[in-house]
Amino acid sequence: ERPERARVLERFGLDYCCGGKVALAVACERGGVQEAELVSALSAQDDAPREDAVDWSLASLIDLTNHIIAAHHDYLRDELPRLSFLTEKVASAHGARHPELLEVATLFSEFRTDMESHMLKEETILFPLCRQLDAAVVRPRAVCGGTIANPIDVMEAEHENAGDALARFRSLTNGYMLPEGGCNTYRVMLDSLAHLELDMHQHVHKENNILFPRALAREASLPSAA
């Protein structure tokens, strides 16, 4: 409902996408965050002038899936090859002094493969089902084993894997901090990985916490076909 709150949660290092769906107190305890401090920061954000942000919980499933592709999938299609080049180049140049970069490059190669496969499945299977539900007057007869919950379960599991990889990138790079002697390419790689993490958090949040629950609710609301 309030997308601008994401900035506060990011600043406190709290994962609201894969690690969402828990009480604020639990998230604070897990993240080592003072709940009162976080609530104060959220209140300050709420008092600030609101951005002209779209409340995607009110959009049609058609508009929401189109937005996710345009805003996040297209970004990944451009960024994944670029970051593959950067992680490999930096690992080659600095891996002897910073062996953790070799793991970054290897892990990113796996992350890219997984995300490209993930997006393909969403765009050819899950998102068309969401659009079909949006326009349907009765529940579709055969939707991936009888319910859209099946492909959603697969996508959520893959989101968890992606979240683990993003957390590992942050850990391996010491919070995307440039070490002494790091070159400009190294700096660009770190900045790009940090931006990737932020975009992925927004991306997965829109799917896990908005699109998927709404698609499930829409399916449940439709009468069965005669």
Side-chain angles (χ1 to χ4, degrees), residues 3-44:
E4 62 272 19
R5 287 174 170 167
R7 293 182 178 181
V8 177
L9 298 173
E10 295 281 3
R11 191 167 76 243
F12 281 82
L14 295 181
D15 178 0
Y16 52 85
C17 54
C18 296
K21 301 181 181 178
V22 298
L24 194 65
V26 174
C28 289
E29 182 178 359
R30 291 177 180 173
V33 171
Q34 294 295 319
E35 184 179 0
E37 185 179 356
L38 175 61
V39 170
S40 177
L42 288 170
S43 297

Side-chain angles (χ1 to χ4, degrees), residues 106-207:
T106 298
L107 182 60
F108 189 83
S109 178
E110 296 170 356
F111 176 84
R112 176 185 176 182
T113 298
D114 290 345
M115 286 308 302
E116 288 174 339
S117 171
H118 179 84
M119 290 190 293
L120 180 64
K121 285 182 282 189
E122 287 190 333
E123 292 180 19
T124 60
I125 300 172
L126 181 55
F127 287 3
L129 291 175
C130 291
R131 295 174 183 133
Q132 183 181 0
L133 284 169
D134 213 12
V137 294
V138 296
R139 190 176 305 175
R141 286 182 179 275
V143 178
C144 290
T147 173
I148 200 171
N150 293 328
I152 284 176
D153 287 345
V154 173
M155 295 301 99
E156 287 187 331
E158 293 182 1
H159 286 165
E160 289 288 340
N161 293 336
D164 291 343
L166 292 169
R168 187 61 179 153
F169 291 141
R170 174 174 285 276
S171 174
L172 288 168
T173 59
N174 192 27
Y176 309 115
M177 183 177 297
L178 185 70
E180 185 177 352
C183 65
N184 282 337
T185 304
Y186 200 153
R187 184 190 305 276
V188 169
M189 180 199 75
L190 293 174
D191 289 344
S192 298
L193 284 172
H195 188 272
L196 173 74
E197 180 185 72
L198 291 172
D199 188 84
M200 281 293 297
H201 282 178
Q202 287 282 339
H203 178 176
V204 174
H205 161 66
K206 289 171 186 173
E207 293 185 1

